[in-house]
Amino acid sequence: MAPLPRCFSSGVNPSVHGLDPSEEQLAYARARPALQAAQFAQRNAMALPYPDDMFDIAVMPLVIFFVPDPAQGVAEMRRVVCPGGSVTAYAWDILDGGFPYAALQAEIRGLGIAVPTPPSPEASRISVMQSLWADAGLNTIETREITVQRTFESFDDFWTTALGAPSVGQTLAKMAAEDIAILQMRVRARLSAESTGPITYSARANAVKGHISR
Protein backbone atom coordinates (compact mmCIF):
# COMPACT_ATOMS: atom_id res chain seq x y z
CA MET A 1 0.00 0.00 0.00
CA ALA A 2 1.28 3.46 -0.89
CA PRO A 3 1.99 5.80 2.06
CA LEU A 4 -0.66 8.38 2.85
CA PRO A 5 -0.13 12.00 1.78
CA ARG A 6 1.56 14.11 4.41
CA CYS A 7 -1.52 16.19 5.27
CA PHE A 8 -3.79 13.13 5.63
CA SER A 9 -1.41 11.27 7.91
CA SER A 10 -0.76 14.29 10.15
CA GLY A 11 -3.79 13.70 12.34
CA VAL A 12 -6.12 16.26 10.73
CA ASN A 13 -9.73 15.10 10.61
CA PRO A 14 -10.79 14.25 7.03
CA SER A 15 -13.15 16.72 5.37
CA VAL A 16 -14.73 17.29 1.96
CA HIS A 17 -15.02 20.76 0.42
CA GLY A 18 -16.84 21.69 -2.78
CA LEU A 19 -16.77 24.92 -4.78
CA ASP A 20 -18.87 26.19 -7.67
CA PRO A 21 -19.68 29.65 -9.09
CA SER A 22 -23.36 28.67 -9.41
CA GLU A 23 -25.51 28.93 -6.31
CA GLU A 24 -28.09 26.66 -7.99
CA GLN A 25 -25.52 23.89 -8.35
CA LEU A 26 -24.45 24.33 -4.74
CA ALA A 27 -28.05 24.16 -3.51
CA TYR A 28 -28.51 20.88 -5.39
CA ALA A 29 -25.32 19.46 -3.85
CA ARG A 30 -26.28 20.53 -0.33
CA ALA A 31 -29.57 18.69 -0.68
CA ARG A 32 -27.93 15.34 -1.44
CA PRO A 33 -28.14 13.02 1.61
CA ALA A 34 -24.64 11.60 1.01
CA LEU A 35 -23.10 15.10 1.12
CA GLN A 36 -24.52 16.37 4.40
CA ALA A 37 -21.08 16.47 6.01
CA ALA A 38 -19.43 18.31 3.10
CA GLN A 39 -18.73 22.04 3.12
CA PHE A 40 -19.75 24.06 0.06
CA ALA A 41 -18.96 27.61 -1.02
CA GLN A 42 -19.54 29.83 -4.04
CA ARG A 43 -16.04 30.52 -5.31
CA ASN A 44 -13.82 30.79 -8.38
CA ALA A 45 -11.71 27.79 -9.43
CA MET A 46 -8.85 30.13 -10.39
CA ALA A 47 -8.55 31.50 -6.83
CA LEU A 48 -9.21 28.74 -4.30
CA PRO A 49 -9.94 30.08 -0.78
CA TYR A 50 -7.59 27.65 0.97
CA PRO A 51 -4.03 27.71 2.30
CA ASP A 52 -1.22 25.77 0.67
CA ASP A 53 -1.00 22.01 1.27
CA MET A 54 -4.44 21.70 2.87
CA PHE A 55 -5.84 18.67 1.04
CA ASP A 56 -4.64 15.22 0.05
CA ILE A 57 -6.63 15.22 -3.21
CA ALA A 58 -8.29 17.75 -5.52
CA VAL A 59 -10.82 16.78 -8.20
CA MET A 60 -12.28 18.91 -11.01
CA PRO A 61 -15.24 16.94 -12.43
CA LEU A 62 -16.75 18.00 -15.79
CA VAL A 63 -15.60 21.57 -15.19
CA ILE A 64 -12.20 22.34 -16.71
CA PHE A 65 -13.63 23.57 -20.02
CA PHE A 66 -15.70 26.14 -18.11
CA VAL A 67 -12.61 27.66 -16.47
CA PRO A 68 -11.45 30.75 -18.43
CA ASP A 69 -7.81 30.02 -17.60
CA PRO A 70 -7.45 26.24 -17.19
CA ALA A 71 -3.73 26.48 -16.40
CA GLN A 72 -4.47 28.75 -13.45
CA GLY A 73 -7.17 26.39 -12.24
CA VAL A 74 -4.79 23.42 -12.31
CA ALA A 75 -2.07 25.48 -10.61
CA GLU A 76 -4.50 26.33 -7.81
CA MET A 77 -5.38 22.68 -7.27
CA ARG A 78 -1.67 21.88 -7.21
CA ARG A 79 -1.12 24.61 -4.62
CA VAL A 80 -3.71 23.40 -2.13
CA VAL A 81 -2.75 19.71 -2.30
CA CYS A 82 0.03 18.52 -0.03
CA PRO A 83 3.12 16.47 -0.99
CA GLY A 84 2.14 12.90 -1.75
CA GLY A 85 -1.36 13.94 -2.82
CA SER A 86 -3.13 13.77 -6.17
CA VAL A 87 -4.72 16.26 -8.56
CA THR A 88 -7.34 14.84 -10.93
CA ALA A 89 -9.97 15.89 -13.44
CA TYR A 90 -12.31 14.45 -16.02
CA ALA A 91 -14.27 16.25 -18.74
CA TRP A 92 -16.52 15.48 -21.69
CA ASP A 93 -14.45 15.36 -24.88
CA ILE A 94 -16.29 18.33 -26.35
CA LEU A 95 -14.22 19.00 -29.46
CA ASP A 96 -14.04 15.38 -30.62
CA GLY A 97 -17.67 14.33 -30.29
CA GLY A 98 -17.70 12.97 -26.76
CA PHE A 99 -20.30 15.35 -25.32
CA PRO A 100 -23.60 13.60 -24.45
CA TYR A 101 -25.61 15.94 -26.67
CA ALA A 102 -23.06 16.21 -29.49
CA ALA A 103 -25.48 14.85 -32.11
CA LEU A 104 -28.19 17.29 -31.06
CA GLN A 105 -25.77 20.24 -31.08
CA ALA A 106 -24.51 19.28 -34.55
CA GLU A 107 -28.04 19.30 -35.95
CA ILE A 108 -28.81 22.66 -34.31
CA ARG A 109 -25.73 24.13 -35.97
CA GLY A 110 -26.86 22.51 -39.24
CA LEU A 111 -29.92 24.75 -39.08
CA GLY A 112 -27.66 27.80 -38.87
CA ILE A 113 -28.34 28.34 -35.18
CA ALA A 114 -25.41 29.07 -32.87
CA VAL A 115 -24.85 26.80 -29.88
CA PRO A 116 -23.10 28.40 -26.88
CA THR A 117 -19.68 26.93 -26.14
CA PRO A 118 -17.70 27.00 -22.89
CA PRO A 119 -14.72 29.37 -22.70
CA SER A 120 -12.02 26.67 -22.86
CA PRO A 121 -13.26 23.69 -24.91
CA GLU A 122 -9.72 22.73 -25.94
CA ALA A 123 -8.99 21.85 -22.31
CA SER A 124 -11.22 18.79 -22.69
CA ARG A 125 -8.73 17.11 -25.05
CA ILE A 126 -6.61 14.43 -23.43
CA SER A 127 -3.37 15.82 -24.93
CA VAL A 128 -4.12 19.28 -23.53
CA MET A 129 -4.91 17.82 -20.11
CA GLN A 130 -1.58 15.99 -20.16
CA SER A 131 0.23 19.24 -20.93
CA LEU A 132 -1.66 21.24 -18.30
CA TRP A 133 -0.76 18.72 -15.60
CA ALA A 134 2.89 18.58 -16.68
CA ASP A 135 3.16 22.39 -16.82
CA ALA A 136 1.78 22.58 -13.26
CA GLY A 137 4.69 20.43 -12.05
CA LEU A 138 2.68 17.27 -11.39
CA ASN A 139 4.37 13.89 -11.69
CA THR A 140 3.46 10.32 -12.65
CA ILE A 141 0.71 11.65 -14.89
CA GLU A 142 -1.89 9.16 -16.08
CA THR A 143 -4.65 9.72 -18.66
CA ARG A 144 -7.52 7.61 -19.86
CA GLU A 145 -10.75 7.72 -21.83
CA ILE A 146 -14.04 6.87 -20.14
CA THR A 147 -16.96 5.76 -22.33
CA VAL A 148 -20.47 5.61 -20.90
CA GLN A 149 -23.86 4.70 -22.32
CA ARG A 150 -27.35 5.85 -21.49
CA THR A 151 -30.63 4.37 -22.63
CA PHE A 152 -33.81 6.42 -23.00
CA GLU A 153 -37.22 4.74 -23.15
CA SER A 154 -38.14 6.62 -26.31
CA PHE A 155 -37.30 9.65 -28.40
CA ASP A 156 -39.77 11.65 -26.30
CA ASP A 157 -37.84 10.66 -23.18
CA PHE A 158 -34.60 11.77 -24.82
CA TRP A 159 -36.13 15.08 -25.93
CA THR A 160 -37.63 15.87 -22.53
CA THR A 161 -34.26 15.26 -20.90
CA ALA A 162 -32.51 17.49 -23.44
CA LEU A 163 -34.96 20.32 -22.73
CA GLY A 164 -33.79 20.33 -19.12
CA ALA A 165 -30.09 20.23 -19.93
CA PRO A 166 -28.34 23.59 -19.32
CA SER A 167 -26.05 23.02 -22.31
CA VAL A 168 -28.84 22.86 -24.91
CA GLY A 169 -32.14 23.54 -23.13
CA GLN A 170 -31.93 27.33 -23.35
CA THR A 171 -31.10 27.18 -27.07
CA LEU A 172 -34.04 24.86 -27.74
CA ALA A 173 -36.39 27.11 -25.78
CA LYS A 174 -35.57 30.06 -28.06
CA MET A 175 -36.06 28.20 -31.35
CA ALA A 176 -39.12 28.66 -33.58
CA ALA A 177 -41.67 25.85 -33.67
CA GLU A 178 -40.93 25.05 -37.32
CA ASP A 179 -37.22 24.77 -36.60
CA ILE A 180 -37.93 22.48 -33.66
CA ALA A 181 -39.97 20.18 -35.90
CA ILE A 182 -37.14 19.96 -38.45
CA LEU A 183 -34.59 19.46 -35.69
CA GLN A 184 -36.55 16.62 -34.10
CA MET A 185 -36.84 14.87 -37.47
CA ARG A 186 -33.09 15.16 -38.10
CA VAL A 187 -32.06 14.09 -34.62
CA ARG A 188 -34.46 11.15 -34.67
CA ALA A 189 -32.91 9.95 -37.96
CA ARG A 190 -29.38 10.51 -36.66
CA LEU A 191 -30.05 8.45 -33.55
CA SER A 192 -31.84 5.75 -35.57
CA ALA A 193 -34.76 5.96 -33.21
CA GLU A 194 -38.01 4.19 -33.89
CA SER A 195 -41.14 6.12 -33.07
CA THR A 196 -41.70 4.19 -29.85
CA GLY A 197 -38.43 2.31 -29.33
CA PRO A 198 -35.58 2.93 -26.88
CA ILE A 199 -32.49 4.99 -27.68
CA THR A 200 -29.05 4.01 -26.46
CA TYR A 201 -26.02 6.11 -27.26
CA SER A 202 -22.54 6.71 -25.94
CA ALA A 203 -20.63 9.67 -24.56
CA ARG A 204 -16.92 9.93 -23.87
CA ALA A 205 -14.89 11.77 -21.25
CA ASN A 206 -11.16 12.24 -20.85
CA ALA A 207 -9.53 11.89 -17.45
CA VAL A 208 -6.14 12.84 -16.01
CA LYS A 209 -4.38 12.29 -12.71
CA GLY A 210 -1.06 13.57 -11.42
CA HIS A 211 0.85 13.35 -8.16
CA ILE A 212 2.83 15.81 -6.07
CA SER A 213 6.28 14.69 -5.09
CA ARG A 214 7.13 14.47 -1.41
Side-chain angles (χ1 to χ4, degrees):
M1 179 181 295
L4 291 172
R6 188 186 69 192
C7 53
F8 191 82
S9 59
S10 63
V12 178
N13 291 329
S15 62
V16 175
H17 294 247
L19 304 178
D20 198 280
S22 167
E23 187 55 45
E24 290 79 9
Q25 294 277 21
L26 293 170
Y28 178 83
R30 292 186 183 106
R32 310 309 295 171
L35 298 176
Q36 293 304 301
Q39 302 178 48
F40 296 101
Q42 189 176 23
R43 292 291 189 275
N44 187 332
M46 297 182 294
L48 300 180
Y50 305 114
D52 296 355
D53 300 346
M54 179 173 175
F55 300 102
D56 63 301
I57 186 169
V59 184
M60 187 182 285
L62 303 177
V63 168
I64 195 166
F65 41 70
F66 288 119
V67 180
D69 185 349
Q72 178 62 22
V74 178
E76 276 292 275
M77 289 197 294
R78 163 71 177 82
R79 178 184 65 80
V80 301
V81 172
C82 65
S86 301
V87 174
T88 72
Y90 55 93
W92 298 120
D93 193 350
I94 291 180
L95 294 180
D96 295 317
F99 187 64
Y101 293 108
L104 177 55
Q105 289 182 330
E107 294 299 342
I108 294 174
R109 294 188 183 100
L111 294 174
I113 299 171
V115 178
T117 58
S120 305
E122 70 285 347
S124 69
R125 282 187 163 144
I126 205 163
S127 60
V128 176
M129 287 180 161
Q130 173 93 29
S131 297
L132 287 168
W133 260 242
D135 291 345
L138 293 156
N139 303 302
T140 321
I141 299 170
E142 304 171 52
T143 60
R144 61 172 296 186
E145 292 183 357
I146 303 171
T147 300
V148 296
Q149 284 190 327
R150 180 171 180 178
T151 298
F152 297 89
E153 294 181 358
S154 63
F155 182 80
D156 288 342
D157 183 24
F158 166 83
W159 191 260
T160 300
T161 304
L163 288 173
S167 55
V168 292
Q170 293 182 357
T171 300
L172 294 173
K174 296 175 182 177
M175 291 175 59
E178 56 269 26
D179 287 336
I180 288 290
I182 295 171
L183 178 63
Q184 287 180 324
M185 179 181 65
R186 291 184 177 183
V187 174
R188 187 189 297 269
R190 186 164 183 151
L191 298 177
S192 299
E194 300 294 337
S195 58
T196 58
I199 299 172
T200 299
Y201 72 93
S202 299
R204 185 180 65 259
N206 293 322
V208 62
K209 178 173 67 174
H211 301 275
I212 300 173
S213 299
R214 292 178 179 275

